[in-house]
C-alpha cells in the first residue's frame, strides 16, 4: 500500500479479512512472513496493539469504541499516551476543532458522544486515530451502519485524508462503494490474495467473480403470486408499542401481507424497526392494536407467534435467537425446547436426534464447516445466518419476519438468504422484510412501505430512489399512513 | 481425545503446581515445608481415617459446588450458597426437632433431607424473585441474604429452636432416626452428594429444562428471542441451586453435627465458588474438585495437628492453593477460547 | 514448560510423602500429651487466645507435648477429637459448650483419653466439662454493692441472655440480698456483647432510675457502662461499677470498685494437672476461688474509702467461699 491511497479489502465472510486486520493492528502475531510499515520492518519483531499504534497503524472499528458519556475532546485525551496531565477543556476543544478542520471531519465538540449520530461518531473515531499519529487507517466496514446520505458525506472526507498522505485500508462488502472510493482493490479468498486490481477499471461482476470464484447470476424472481381473497397471512392492526427511544415508538401500525408476497419496510435505523421486530418476535408487548395471522388474532409472545406460524430472521445473531456458546445442533433445536417436540420428547433433550436434524440442515443449507457440534459463535456471519434461516424455515412457518437479514453478510451469503426468502414467497409464504438497505428492499419486495418515526407510509411503485430517500428522511410527507 | 486430556490436565497441573508454590510460602513464614506438606498430604489421604475426614469435608463442598456450578451455567451469579445452606439446615432442624416424633425410625431421614432441600430452594427462589420481579442483581441479593440466613440461625438457636434446657445456643439434638445412617462414619450424605452430581449433570446436559437453562446462561437476550424467559429460568436456577445447597445444610446437620449451631458452615458456601470454578462449571468435574478442596481442608487441619503450623499459616497456604488453582483453571479457559477462530470471521 | 516443571516438582512432593502413608498409628509415649480445639482464631485477644495461653502454660509448667487445631465448623469437631485420641493424646480440650456433643460420640471409643469441654453439662467416664465459678466473685460484688449503696438499688447489664450470663447475676443478687434484704436489682440485656453505645445507654437509664452500683457482663462493651458511670460521678453522684471476667479496675480507676476476675489459662493448667496426676473424676470440674481460678480484686485506689469493718467482713466471706463453707447460689444449667 502506498501513502495516500485508499485500498479496499474485499472478501467473503471467512475469507480472512478479520484475521488480516487483527494482524495489522497487533492483536494477532503472524506465524511467518514480514510486515513493513513506512519502510521499516516491524514483523518479525515485537508486535502488539501498542507497537502497531506506535508505528502508526490504527483501526476504526465498526462499532464505536468511544466513551458514550464523554465529549469528543475528552475521548481524544482519554487513554492517549500524549494526553496532558491536566485536562483543559477550552484548549482541548480548540485543538480538536483545529484538527477536525484540517481534515474536513466535521464533529461537534461539546456534545457527549452518546448524543452524536452514527456518522458523527465515526468521524470522531477517525479523528482519534489521526490524533494518535496514525498514518495507516484500517476502516472496518465503515458504511455498514451509515445512511446513504452519511455515506456520501464520509467519502469526500476519506478522499481528503488520502490527499493528505494517509493510507486507508477500506473493508467493505459493497461493490459499488468500493468502486466509488477505492483506488485499488485486493480480493481475498480462503486466506489468500486472489488479486489486486484497479478499483475503477474492474467491473462489479469481475470483482464478484474474483471474490466468489464464480460469476453471480442476476437474482431470478418470478412474478408476484399473491393470493388475495383470503384473509391476509399477517396483519397488523393499529399496533402501538413503546420505543426504546421516542423516535422508535410504534404509532398505530397498519399493514396487511398476503400469502405469496414480500412487503418491504424501508427506513433509516432508529425509526421503529427494532421495536417492530421485537413486537413481531414476541419479546416486546404492544400497548394497543392486534397482530393477526391468517385472520386469527395472535396473543403477543414468542411462543404464541411461533405456534401461529410466524418465523423470524434477524441480522443480529442474538436477536435472531442464535445462542453463542451452543452448538449448531442445539441452536437448531432451541426454539422447540419448550413445546415437547421430537427433539425434546418426554422432557429429555434427544441429542442424537438433534444432531441428525443438524446434519440434515447442514447438508441442505450448505453450512460450513459441516459440524453439528460446532459452537455457532465460531461460525462466520453467513454460516451463522444459514443456521438461523434453516431453523426458521424448518418450522414450516408460512409467515417470515426478516429484519436486516443480510446485514454483515458477504455477497454469496446474502444472495443465499435472498433466494430463501424468494423461495418461501414462491411457495405461498408471506414475508415482511424490514431492512435499512434500500437496494435489498427494492430488489426483493413486491410492495414497499416506508417507516418513519414509528409510522408506515405507502410508497408508490414508481417512486425513484431519490424521492424515497426524501421520504425516509421525513422531509416530505409524501403519501399517507398506510 | 488428546484435547480432552489437555483439558483434564490443566486443573490437575494447576493444583499440583500451586502446592509447589506453597512450599515457598511455608519457608517464607518460617516453617519446615516438607514436614508440613507431608502432614498435609498424609492428613488429606494417607490413611483410611484421613480419607474418611476428607470425604466428610468434601460432601458439603460437592453439594454447594454443584449449586454454584448449576447457577453459573445458567448465567445466574449466585453467591448465596452459604445462606442457602443455612436456610436448608434451619428448615431441616425445624422439621426434625419440632414436627417429627423423637422415637421415629430411620424413615425420619427422608423428611429431614427434603426439608433441607426445600428450605434452601425457597431461599434461593427468594433471590430469584427479587431478580425477576424487581430487577435486583442476584449478586447483591444473594450476598445480603447470606447474612440474613446466618442471623436467622443465630436467632433460632437462641429463640424458637433453642434446646429444651435453654442452656446453650444450640438446637435440640435431632431424633436418632433422623440422623443419616453411616458406615464407619461415612454417612449417607457422601453417596447422596455423588448421586446429586450425576443428577445435575444429567439435568443440564440431557433434559429439556437443562437445555433451556443452558441457553439462557449463554445468552439471555438470544434466549428471550428464542422464546425462553431469562427471568423465570433464572429463578428456577436459583431455586435448584438453593435446593442443592440446602441439602448440603441438611446433610451436615443430620450426618455430622446432630444439632444446629452457629457457624455450621464457615465458608463452604464461598469456597463452593472456587470449587465450581476449578471444575469449570462441569457438574461431574465438581466431584474431583470438591474432593481436592476437602482434602486440602482436611490436610490443613493435620498440618496444625501434626506439624504445629498455626492455623493462620495453614489458611495462607490453603488460600494460595485455591487462588492459584482456580486462576490457573480460568486462565486455561481463556487460552482455550483464543484458539478457536474469533467471532464473525469477516 | 514451566507448568510441566512445576507439575513434576509437585508430583515429587506427593510421591515423597506416600511412603509415610501407613495405616492407623497408635503411638504410646511417655510424655503427657495435651491437645486443644478452639472454635476460632487464637489471636482473637479473648476467648480463644486465653485458651491457647493456657495450653502454652501447660506445655511450660507440666512439660507436656501440646498441639492445637482451630476447627472451622461443628462438623469438624468429631473427626479432630478422633484424630487426637487415635494419636494417643492423654487430654483433649474442646474450648466451648458446642464441643460436648462430638466429644460424647468419640469418648466411649477411646477410654485412655480424657476429654474436657469448656463449659457444658455432658459427663461420661472420660468426659467432663470445666465450669468456672465466676458466680463466687459476682456474689461478693453484690454483697459489697448492697453494703455501700445509699439508694438500695443496683443494676446489672448483660450482653446476650445466656444461662451462663444470667447465672452470674443470680449470684450477684444473692450476695446483695445477703448483705441487705429487700435490695432491688434491675437486669437489662442488650442482645449482643460488642455494642458500647448500647451498654452506655442502658447504664445511664439504670442510673436515672436511682441505681448507684452497676455490674456488667458485656465483655469489652463494659467500657460503655464505665463511661456512663464516670459521667454521673463527674456530676457529683456517688456511683460505682464492677468489672468482670478480667481485671478491669484500670479501665476506669475512678469508678470501678472491684473486678470479678476469671483466669482461664490457669484453669487449663489446673485441669491438665489433675488429669496427669490421675485425680480426674467423671463430674463437672468446678473451678472457682478455691482453686485460684476466680478471684475478687478490689481497686486499691478506691478501697481506702471503704470502712474497715466492711472490708473485714468481705474478707471473711471470701475465705468462707474459698474453703467451700459457703456455697454460692448459681443458675441451673
Amino acid at each position: 500500500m502506498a501513502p495516500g491511497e485508499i485500498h479496499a479489502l474485499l472478501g467473503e465472510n471467512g475469507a480472512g479479512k478479520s484475521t488480516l486486520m487483527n494482524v495489522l493492528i497487533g492483536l494477532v502475531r503472524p506465524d511467518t512472513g514480514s510486515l513493513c510499515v513506512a519502510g521499516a520492518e516491524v514483523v518479525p519483531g515485537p508486535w502488539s496493539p501498542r507497537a502497531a499504534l506506535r508505528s502508526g497503524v490504527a483501526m476504526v472499528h465498526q462499532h464505536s469504541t468511544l466513551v458514550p458519556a464523554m465529549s469528543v475532546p475528552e475521548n481524544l485525551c482519554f487513554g492517549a499516551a500524549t494526553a496532558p496531565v491536566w485536562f483543559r477543556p477550552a484548549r482541548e476543544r480548540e485543538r480538536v476543532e483545529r484538527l477536525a478542520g484540517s481534515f474536513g471531519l466535521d464533529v461537534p465538540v461539546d456534545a457527549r458522544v452518546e448524543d452524536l449520530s452514527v456518522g458523527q461518531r465515526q468521524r470522531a473515531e477517525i479523528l482519534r486515530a489521526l490524533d494518535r499519529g496514525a498514518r495507516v487507517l484500517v476502516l472496518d466496514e465503515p458504511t455498514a451502519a451509515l445512511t446513504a446520505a452519511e455515506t456520501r458525506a464520509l467519502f469526500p472526507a476519506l478522499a481528503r485524508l488520502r490527499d493528505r498522505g494517509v493510507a486507508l485500508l477500506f473493508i467493505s462488502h459493497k461493490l459499488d462503494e468500493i468502486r466509488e472510493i477505492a483506488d485499488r482493490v485486493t480480493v481475498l479468498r480462503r486466506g489468500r490474495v486472489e488479486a489486486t486490481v484497479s478499483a475503477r477499471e474492474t467491473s462489479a461482476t469481475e470483482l464478484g467473480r474474483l471474490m466468489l470464484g464464480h460469476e453471480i447470476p442476476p437474482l431470478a424472481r418470478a412474478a408476484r403470486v399473491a393470493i388475495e381473497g383470503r384473509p391476509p397471512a399477517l396483519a397488523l392492526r393499529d399496533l402501538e408499542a413503546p420505543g426504546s427511544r421516542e423516535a422508535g415508538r410504534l404509532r398505530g401500525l397498519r399493514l396487511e401481507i398476503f400469502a405469496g408476497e414480500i412487503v418491504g419496510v424501508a427506513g433509516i435505523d432508529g425509526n421503529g424497526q427494532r421495536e417492530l421486530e421485537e413486537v413481531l418476535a414476541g419479546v416486546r408487548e404492544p400497548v394497543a392494536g392486534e397482530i393477526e395471522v391468517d385472520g386469527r388474532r395472535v396473543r403477543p409472545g414468542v411462543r404464541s407467534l411461533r405456534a401461529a406460524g410466524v418465523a423470524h430472521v434477524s441480522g443480529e445473531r442474538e436477536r435472531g435467537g442464535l445462542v453463542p456458546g451452543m452448538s449448531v445442533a442445539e441452536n437448531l433445536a432451541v426454539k422447540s425446547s419448550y413445546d415437547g417436540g421430537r427433539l425434546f420428547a418426554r422432557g429429555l433433550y434427544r441429542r442424537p436426534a438433534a444432531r441428525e436434524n443438524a446434519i440434515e440442515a447442514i447438508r441442505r443449507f450448505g453450512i460450513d464447516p459441516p459440524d453439528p457440534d460446532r459452537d455457532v459463535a465460531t461460525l462466520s456471519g453467513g454460516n451463522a445466518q444459514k443456521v438461523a434461516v434453516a431453523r426458521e424455515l424448518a418450522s414450516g412457518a408460512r409467515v417470515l419476519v426478516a429484519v436486516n437479514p443480510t446485514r454483515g453478510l458477504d455477497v454469496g451469503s446474502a444472495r443465499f438468504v435472498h433466494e430463501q426468502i424468494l423461495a418461501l414467497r414462491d411457495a405461498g409464504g408471506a414475508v415482511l422484510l424490514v431492512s435499512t438497505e434500500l437496494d435489498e428492499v427494492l430488489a426483493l419486495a413486491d410492495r414497499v412501505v416506508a417507516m418513519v418515526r414509528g409510522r408506515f407510509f405507502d410508497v408508490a411503485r414508481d417512486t425513484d430512489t431519490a424521492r424515497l430517500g426524501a421520504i425516509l428522511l421525513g422531509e416530505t410527507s409524501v403519501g399517507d399512513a398506510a | 481425545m488428546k484435547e480432552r486430556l489437555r483439558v483434564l490436565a490443566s486443573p490437575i497441573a494447576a493444583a499440583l503446581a500451586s502446592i509447589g508454590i506453597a512450599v515457598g510460602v511455608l519457608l517464607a513464614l518460617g516453617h519446615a515445608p516438607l514436614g508440613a506438606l507431608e502432614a498435609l498430604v498424609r492428613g488429606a489421604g494417607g490413611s483410611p481415617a484421613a480419607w474418611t475426614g476428607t470425604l466428610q469435608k468434601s460432601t458439603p463442598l460437592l453439594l454447594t459446588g454443584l449449586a454454584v456450578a448449576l447457577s453459573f451455567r445458567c448465567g445466574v451469579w449466585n453467591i448465596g450458597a452459604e445462606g442457602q445452606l443455612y436456610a436448608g439446615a434451619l428448615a431441616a432442624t425445624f422439621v426434625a426437632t419440632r414436627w417429627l416424633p423423637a422415637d421415629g425410625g430411620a424413615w425420619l431421614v427422608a423428611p429431614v433431607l427434603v426439608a433441607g432441600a426445600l428450605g434452601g430452594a425457597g431461599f434461593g427462589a427468594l433471590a430469584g424473585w427479587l431478580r425477576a420481579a424487581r430487577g435486583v442483581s442476584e449478586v447483591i441479593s444473594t450476598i445480603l441474604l447470606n447474612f440474613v440466613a446466618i442471623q436467622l440461625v443465630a436467632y433460632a438457636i437462641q429463640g424458637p429452636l433453642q434446646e429444651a434446657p435453654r442452656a446453650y445456643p444450640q438446637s435440640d439434638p435431632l431424633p436418632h432416626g433422623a440422623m443419616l445412617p453411616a458406615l464407619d462414619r461415612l454417612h449417607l450424605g457422601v453417596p447422596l452428594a455423588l448421586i446429586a452430581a450425576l443428577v445435575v449433570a444429567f439435568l443440564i446436559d440431557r433434559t429439556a429444562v437443562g437445555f433451556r437453562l443452558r441457553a439462557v446462561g449463554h445468552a439471555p437476550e438470544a434466549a428471550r428471542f428464542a422464546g425462553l424467559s431469562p427471568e423465570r429460568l433464572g429463578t428456577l436456577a436459583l431455586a435448584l441451586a438453593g435446593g442443592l445447597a440446602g441439602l448440603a445444610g441438611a446433610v451436615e446437620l443430620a450426618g455430622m453435627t446432630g444439632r444446629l449451631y452457629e457457624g455450621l458452615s464457615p465458608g463452604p458456601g464461598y469456597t463452593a465458588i472456587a470449587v465450581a470454578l476449578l471444575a469449570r462449571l462441569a457438574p461431574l468435574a465438581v466431584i474431583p474438585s470438591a474432593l481436592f478442596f476437602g482434602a486440602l481442608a482436611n490436610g490443613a487441619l493435620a498440618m496444625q495437628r501434626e506439624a504445629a503450623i498455626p492455623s493462620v499459616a495453614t489458611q495462607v497456604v490453603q488460600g494460595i492453593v485455591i487462588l492459584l488453582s482456580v486462576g490457573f483453571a480460568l486462565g486455561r479457559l481463556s487460552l482455550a477460547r483464543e484458539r478457536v477462530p474469533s467471532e464473525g470471521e469477516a | 514448560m514451566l507448568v510441566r516443571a512445576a507439575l513434576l516438582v509437585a508430583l515429587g512432593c506427593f510421591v515423597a510423602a506416600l511412603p509415610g502413608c501407613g495405616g492407623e498409628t497408635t503411638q504410646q509415649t511417655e510424655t503427657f500429651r495435651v491437645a486443644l480445639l478452639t472454635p476460632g482464631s487464637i489471636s482473637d485477644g479473648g476467648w480463644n487466645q486465653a485458651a491457647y495461653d493456657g495450653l502454652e502454660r501447660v506445655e511450660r509448667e507440666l512439660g507436656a507435648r501440646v498441639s492445637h487445631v482451630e476447627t472451622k465448623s461443628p462438623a469438624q469437631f468429631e473427626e479432630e477429637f478422633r484424630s487426637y485420641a487415635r494419636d494417643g493424646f492423654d487430654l483433649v480440650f474442646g474450648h466451648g459448650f458446642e464441643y460436648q456433643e462430638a466429644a460424647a460420640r468419640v469418648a466411649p471409643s477411646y477410654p485412655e483419653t480424657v476429654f474436657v469441654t469448656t463449659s457444658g453439662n455432658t459427663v461420661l467416664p472420660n468426659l467432663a466439662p470445666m465450669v468456672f465459678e465466676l458466680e463466687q466473685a459476682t456474689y461478693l460484688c453484690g454483697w459489697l454493692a448492697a453494703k455501700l449503696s445509699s439508694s438500695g438499688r443496683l443494676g446489672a447489664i448483660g450482653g446476650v441472655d445466656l444461662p451462663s450470663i444470667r447465672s452470674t447475676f443470680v449470684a450477684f443478687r444473692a450476695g446483695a440480698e445477703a448483705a441487705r434484704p429487700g435490695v432491688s436489682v434491675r437486669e437489662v440485656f442488650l442482645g449482643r456483647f460488642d455494642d458500647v453505645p448500647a451498654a452506655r445507654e442502658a447504664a445511664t437509664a439504670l442510673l436515672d432510675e436511682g441505681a448507684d452500683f452497676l455490674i456488667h457482663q458485656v465483655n469489652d462493651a463494659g467500657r460503655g457502662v464505665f463511661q456512663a458511670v464516670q459521667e454521673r460521678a463527674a456530676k457529683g453522684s456517688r456511683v460505682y461499677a464492677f468489672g468482670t471476667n478480667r481485671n478491669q479496675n484500670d479501665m476506669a480507676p475512678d469508678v470501678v470498685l472491684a473486678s470479678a476476675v476469671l483466669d482461664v489459662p490457669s484453669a487449663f493448667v489446673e485441669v491438665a494437672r489433675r488429669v496427669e496426676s490421675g485425680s480426674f473424676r467423671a463430674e463437672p470440674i468446678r473451678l472457682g476461688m478455691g482453686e485460684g481460678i476466680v478471684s475478687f480484686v478490689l481497686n486499691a485506689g478506691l478501697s481506702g474509702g471503704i470502712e474497715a469493718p466492711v472490708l473485714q467482713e468481705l474478707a471473711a466471706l471470701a475465705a468462707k467461699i474459698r474453703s467451700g463453707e459457703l456455697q454460692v447460689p448459681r443458675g441451673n444449667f
Side-chain angles (χ1 to χ4, degrees), chain A residues 372-419:
Chain A
D373 299 321
R374 194 171 171 99
D375 180 350
V376 291
T378 68
L379 292 182
S380 69
N383 283 300
Q385 191 66 315
K386 282 180 184 174
V387 173
V389 169
R391 179 179 67 199
E392 296 308 307
L393 295 184
S395 69
R398 307 308 300 156
V399 178
L400 175 66
V401 177
V403 183
N404 294 322
T406 59
R407 175 174 282 181
L409 300 195
D410 61 71
V411 177
S413 305
R415 186 179 181 79
F416 173 83
V417 172
H418 288 162
E419 281 166 359

Side-chain angles (χ1 to χ4, degrees), chain A residues 6-9 139 142 155 158 168-172 177-178 181:
Chain A
I6 298 184
H7 196 115
L9 196 58
L139 300 158
F155 283 180
L158 295 184
L168 295 142
L169 188 62
F170 182 92
I171 295 161
S172 177
E177 280 179 4
I178 288 176
I181 183 74

Side-chain angles (χ1 to χ4, degrees), chain B residues 13 16-17 19 41-42 46-47 49 53 56-57 158 166-170 173 185 252 256-257 259 261 263-264 266 301 304-305 311 315 328, chain C residues 3 6-7 10 14 17 20-22 67-70 72-76 78-80 82-84 86 97-98 100-101 105 119-120 160 163:
Chain B
L16 295 180
I19 288 174
V41 174
R42 209 172 41 206
S47 65
Q56 284 176 347
K57 288 171 185 71
Q158 287 169 31
R166 300 218 157 257
Y168 297 110
Q170 62 185 11
R185 299 195 320 287
E252 283 295 86
M256 302 293 298
T257 66
R259 288 182 195 250
Y261 296 96
L264 181 70
L301 285 167
Q304 292 183 48
R305 236 178 16 237
S311 75
Q315 278 168 41
F328 209 123
Chain C
V3 177
L7 198 142
F14 258 98
C21 309
S67 177
H68 161 252
V69 160
E70 178 187 330
K72 295 289 179 192
S73 127
Q76 297 181 348
E78 183 175 338
E79 219 44 45
E80 293 312 298
R82 218 173 270 280
S83 294
Y84 278 127
R86 205 167 32 227
F97 74 91
E98 62 267 41
Q100 49 186 334
E101 194 86 16
R105 278 200 291 265
S119 83
V160 178

Side-chain angles (χ1 to χ4, degrees), chain B residues 64 67-68 72 77-88 90 119-120 123-124 126-127 130 137-155 238 241-242 245-246 262-273:
Chain B
T64 50
V68 172
F72 281 21
W77 304 105
N78 175 18
I79 318 294
E82 177 93 21
Q84 291 145 18
L85 181 147
Y86 275 115
L90 191 61
F123 211 67
L126 187 60
L130 283 169
S137 154
E138 74 277 11
V139 175
I140 306 295
S141 64
T142 51
I143 288 178
L144 293 178
L145 282 170
N146 284 341
F147 296 108
V148 172
I150 289 167
Q151 296 303 325
L152 269 179
V153 167
Y155 163 73
L238 273 165
E262 265 184 276
L264 181 70
S265 138
Y270 291 125
T271 315
I273 296 168

Side-chain angles (χ1 to χ4, degrees), chain A residues 54-297:
Chain A
R54 252 202 318 274
S55 11
V57 181
M59 170 140 180
V60 175
H61 291 269
Q62 211 169 343
H63 305 288
S64 172
T65 56
L66 300 168
V67 180
M70 287 183 168
S71 72
V72 173
E74 284 168 340
N75 260 292
L76 258 52
C77 282
F78 181 70
T82 57
V85 178
W86 303 109
F87 180 76
R88 276 172 290 182
R91 209 184 82 146
E92 290 301 323
R93 198 165 58 222
E94 197 191 316
R95 194 175 68 82
V96 171
E97 267 171 347
R98 221 172 29 238
L99 190 71
S102 72
F103 286 104
L105 290 161
D106 170 37
V107 175
V109 287
D110 292 318
R112 296 202 288 186
V113 166
E114 62 190 349
D115 298 325
L116 300 185
S117 74
V118 180
Q120 287 169 329
R121 279 184 217 186
Q122 196 169 50
R123 288 198 286 278
E125 190 110 14
I126 294 173
L127 213 50
R128 179 172 63 176
L130 295 171
D131 188 37
R132 299 195 177 165
R135 283 166 299 160
V136 180
L137 268 186
V138 183
L139 300 158
D140 184 16
E141 296 197 45
T143 60
L146 296 188
T147 61
E150 282 178 319
T151 305
R152 276 194 300 278
L154 175 68
F155 283 180
L158 295 184
R160 269 194 300 279
L161 289 179
R162 171 184 57 195
D163 298 342
R164 296 275 305 265
V166 176
L168 295 142
L169 188 62
F170 182 92
I171 295 161
S172 177
H173 289 309
K174 297 177 187 166
L175 296 180
D176 48 341
E177 280 179 4
I178 288 176
R179 285 162 47 79
E180 185 185 339
I181 183 74
D183 301 312
R184 286 191 297 161
V185 186
T186 291
V187 183
L188 289 183
R189 183 145 58 96
R190 295 172 179 274
R192 290 174 192 283
V193 172
E194 190 68 18
T196 299
V197 294
S198 155
R200 283 176 197 83
E201 287 153 26
T202 312
S203 71
T205 335
E206 174 66 9
L207 286 174
R209 191 191 59 76
L210 285 170
M211 186 168 89
L212 298 177
H214 53 81
E215 304 237 1
I216 321 166
L219 204 58
R221 25 179 325 190
R224 185 176 175 192
V225 293
I227 310 143
E228 298 187 28
R230 288 194 6 219
L234 175 69
L236 312 181
R237 309 261 183 235
D238 302 312
L239 207 59
E240 292 189 14
S244 37
R245 285 190 193 170
E246 182 50 28
R249 187 158 64 83
L250 304 185
R251 301 155 213 254
L253 294 184
R254 220 181 287 173
L255 186 66
E256 293 189 338
I257 306 174
F258 292 89
E261 77 169 341
I262 298 174
V263 173
V265 176
I268 297 166
D269 256 340
N271 279 284
Q273 291 97 326
R274 286 178 81 84
E275 288 75 8
L276 176 62
E277 174 182 26
E278 286 166 9
V279 167
L280 291 178
V283 300
R284 183 180 286 268
E285 189 94 1
V287 289
E290 277 161 20
I291 303 168
E292 283 176 16
V293 175
D294 290 332
R296 274 189 299 274
R297 229 185 104 187

Side-chain angles (χ1 to χ4, degrees), chain B residues 8-98:
Chain B
L8 201 67
S10 77
I12 294 174
L16 295 180
S18 51
I19 288 174
I21 290 175
V23 172
V25 175
L26 283 168
L27 273 174
L29 291 173
H31 300 285
L34 281 181
L37 282 185
E38 195 199 321
L40 175 78
V41 174
R42 209 172 41 206
S47 65
W51 271 103
T52 302
T54 291
L55 286 171
Q56 284 176 347
K57 288 171 185 71
S58 303
T59 299
L61 289 174
L62 175 51
L63 286 168
T64 50
L66 285 171
V68 172
L70 176 71
S71 44
F72 281 21
R73 281 287 286 274
C74 307
V76 176
W77 304 105
N78 175 18
I79 318 294
E82 177 93 21
Q84 291 145 18
L85 181 147
Y86 275 115
L90 191 61
T93 306
F94 177 77
V95 168
T97 62
R98 291 292 180 268

Side-chain angles (χ1 to χ4, degrees), chain B residues 161-310:
Chain B
L161 289 184
Q162 197 182 11
E163 58 171 352
R166 300 218 157 257
Y168 297 110
Q170 62 185 11
S171 74
D172 277 321
L174 263 57
H176 187 69
M179 292 297 286
L180 295 180
L183 199 71
D184 194 24
R185 299 195 320 287
L186 279 182
H187 55 74
L188 189 65
V190 180
L192 208 60
L194 289 171
I195 292 168
L198 295 174
V199 169
V200 171
F202 183 81
L203 176 90
I204 287 190
D205 287 335
R206 295 294 161 84
T207 68
V209 173
F211 185 96
R212 296 200 287 268
L213 289 170
R214 272 192 292 138
V216 166
H218 282 299
E221 271 316 291
R224 191 191 303 282
F225 274 89
L228 309 175
S229 161
E231 290 79 22
R232 292 227 307 264
L233 288 166
T235 306
L236 176 66
L238 273 165
L240 288 173
L244 286 164
L247 188 62
V251 161
E252 283 295 86
L253 181 78
M256 302 293 298
T257 66
R259 288 182 195 250
L260 182 62
Y261 296 96
E262 265 184 276
L264 181 70
S265 138
Y270 291 125
T271 315
I273 296 168
V275 171
L277 289 180
L278 185 62
R280 296 161 125 197
L281 310 185
L284 291 181
V286 175
I287 298 174
S289 177
L291 209 56
F292 170 65
F293 279 80
L296 198 58
N298 202 29
L301 285 167
M303 261 162 79
Q304 292 183 48
R305 236 178 16 237
E306 293 170 17
I309 308 291

Side-chain angles (χ1 to χ4, degrees), chain C residues 158-162 165 190-195 217-222:
Chain C
V160 178
D161 187 359
L162 294 176
I165 303 295
L190 305 178
R192 48 192 299 187
F193 286 111
D194 52 3
D195 197 339
Q217 269 282 21
V218 288
N219 295 352
D220 284 347

